[in-house]
Amino acid sequence: MSTSILRLAWIYPDLLSTYGDRGNLLVLAHRAESRQILTDSLLVRSDQAVPREADVYLVGGGEDGPQALAAEKLIADGALAQAADNGKVIFSVCAGYQIMGTSFVASGNKHAGLGLLDMTSDRGPSRAVGELAGAVHPQLGLESLTGFENHGGRTYLGNETAALVPQVSHGIGNDETTEGAWRGKVVGTYLHGPALARNPQLADLLLAWATGTELAPFDETWTSQLRAERLAALAHH
Ligand code: GLN
């Protein structure tokens, strides 16, 4: 952080904002403020330039048309690629996640992505809809991830990108085996829910990366109830 205010940029809410992904912004702001870390939330519409000086960039889910448009605009804008180069945190969900790869398929056409994650997406045989969960890559030291998925795409990771979840226990995720990806501080996932409400340790990991500090403890009474409820729901899937 170059100033004492943590700047959270929510990218293109007018195009990429399905399934309550805005909650990820609210969760990050709330969990930071509760630790006396001041935040500034920047809503960046698709007709605006993406700020170059944010600390965390959030890119949400979307339908095929808006997703393809968002990818074109983000490539032309250049700020996200620069942010990744500068070690800023980027958290992307579903359509936003596919955009981080080298290419994706939307409405039957192949589109270029930002290439910040070494992966490609194409279409699967059916839509993946429902609960998605699994144990996290040990290097990240987080509890299991849970969330809701709804996507037609399938994602294939290259060698430069590790899976967030090497083996899903429920749902489809990337390709019925792995789920999500990360490289440096660029993270992507198919988890809606919103993901950071359902996986508060992941929220804190992003905040710790962005601030370079260890975070004070947080009262997890409500978050652990939500997690327990959602993990119990998996038993019915
Ligand atoms: N359009 C993409 C797909 O269906 C992403 C969907 C989403 O973001 N929920 O694969």
Side-chain angles (χ1 to χ4, degrees):
M1 266 197 302
S2 50
T3 71
S4 57
I5 294 184
L6 185 73
R7 287 151 306 184
L8 309 171
W10 186 27
I11 304 306
Y12 297 174
D14 52 328
L15 296 178
L16 302 173
S17 174
T18 52
Y19 305 109
D21 291 330
R22 179 171 201 257
N24 291 326
L25 177 72
L26 301 178
V27 167
L28 284 183
H30 178 62
R31 294 185 73 91
E33 300 272 348
S34 302
R35 272 77 165 247
Q36 272 68 55
I37 300 165
L38 296 179
T39 66
D40 200 358
S41 292
L42 314 163
L43 269 52
V44 185
R45 294 178 55 92
S46 60
D47 59 355
Q48 298 175 317
V50 175
R52 311 239 152 200
E53 68 290 348
D55 300 296
V56 181
Y57 295 82
L58 299 167
V59 194
E63 292 172 29
D64 281 19
Q67 175 179 352
L69 183 59
E72 258 172 53
K73 284 178 175 282
L74 289 172
I75 291 169
D77 179 276
L80 278 187
Q82 194 181 316
D85 273 357
N86 293 339
K88 303 296 185 182
V89 176
I90 301 178
F91 182 66
S92 59
V93 175
C94 208
Y97 169 44
Q98 293 177 3
I99 290 173
M100 297 300 138
T102 50
S103 69
F104 62 89
V105 172
S107 311
N109 297 313
K110 188 170 170 177
H111 298 266
L114 287 164
L116 304 182
L117 292 172
D118 176 22
M119 62 184 212
T120 59
S121 301
D122 66 10
R123 283 281 125 168
S126 60
R127 268 195 101 67
V129 184
E131 293 293 318
L132 172 60
V136 180
H137 193 296
Q139 204 177 310
L140 293 175
L142 305 176
E143 286 172 22
S144 295
L145 292 178
T146 90
F148 175 79
E149 65 180 334
N150 184 351
H151 53 103
R154 297 292 185 276
T155 297
Y156 304 96
L157 305 184
N159 296 330
E160 302 291 313
T161 293
L164 273 189
V165 172
Q167 177 65 60
V168 296
S169 59
H170 294 82
I172 305 285
N174 292 332
D175 57 357
E176 300 187 37
T177 305
T178 66
E179 150 52 23
W182 99 99
R183 179 171 176 233
K185 294 178 187 166
V186 179
V187 180
T189 177
Y190 275 113
L191 297 166
H192 293 286
L196 299 183
R198 289 180 57 163
N199 304 283
Q201 289 189 340
L202 181 57
D204 279 3
L205 177 69
L206 302 180
L207 289 175
W209 279 352
T211 60
T213 59
E214 211 173 297
L215 299 170
F218 183 90
D219 178 357
E220 304 288 2
T221 311
W222 289 104
T223 51
S224 46
Q225 270 183 36
L226 172 65
R227 273 187 76 75
E229 224 173 74
R230 297 322 304 164
L231 289 169
L234 290 178
H236 307 294
H237 283 263

